[in-house]
Amino acid sequence: SEPAPESKLQTTIPNPQSPNSMPQSPIPNPQSPNPMPQTPKQSNYAFYTALALDILGAAAIGLGVKQNLNAKQYYKDYKNMPKNLSEEEYKNVYKEVESAQTDRNILYTVGGVLLTMGIMVHVWF
């Protein structure tokens, strides 16, 4: 004859000395030194650094736009110069055009790099 269904069940009493015998609970023990795993608090330094880079980059690009407008105006002034001036005067005015164009290019480059760095800090930190 078959034994009763209760006798087929295996009953064990967990041994508190053995870590594998106790079922693992998802709720941590409040008496443990660190009951809940601490999530790292995100620092605001990365945000403010990125924001500063963004602002500096946008400002440099804005100054580059202004220098571009200056270069266009200097070139108009150069083209509208009277024909009876000396070659030295033409060269001096054209140097202003070239200087404004060079400043524009530098400001665009620096502004683009700073803005890109700021965006990268926003994304990765």
Side-chain angles (χ1 to χ4, degrees), residues 26-116:
I27 302 172
N29 182 1
Q31 280 76 31
S32 69
N34 191 5
M36 295 296 283
Q38 298 293 321
T39 57
K41 186 176 180 182
Q42 186 176 9
S43 173
N44 287 334
Y45 295 121
F47 172 77
Y48 289 117
T49 300
L51 188 62
L53 288 170
D54 292 340
I55 291 170
L56 289 173
I61 290 172
L63 288 173
V65 169
K66 183 173 179 348
Q67 281 301 104
N68 186 49
L69 295 173
N70 288 343
K72 285 182 178 182
Q73 185 59 47
Y74 294 152
Y75 187 72
K76 281 183 187 177
D77 293 344
Y78 170 76
K79 289 301 241 178
N80 293 330
M81 288 178 70
K83 302 294 183 202
N84 58 358
L85 297 176
S86 70
E87 187 175 331
E88 188 66 31
E89 289 177 289
Y90 284 113
K91 286 182 181 181
N92 288 338
V93 173
Y94 196 74
K95 282 182 186 179
E96 290 180 9
V97 174
E98 289 178 334
S99 175
Q101 289 174 339
T102 301
D103 292 346
R104 172 202 62 197
N105 293 342
I106 291 170
L107 287 167
Y108 280 164
T109 302
V110 169
V113 168
L114 288 172
L115 193 58
T116 302

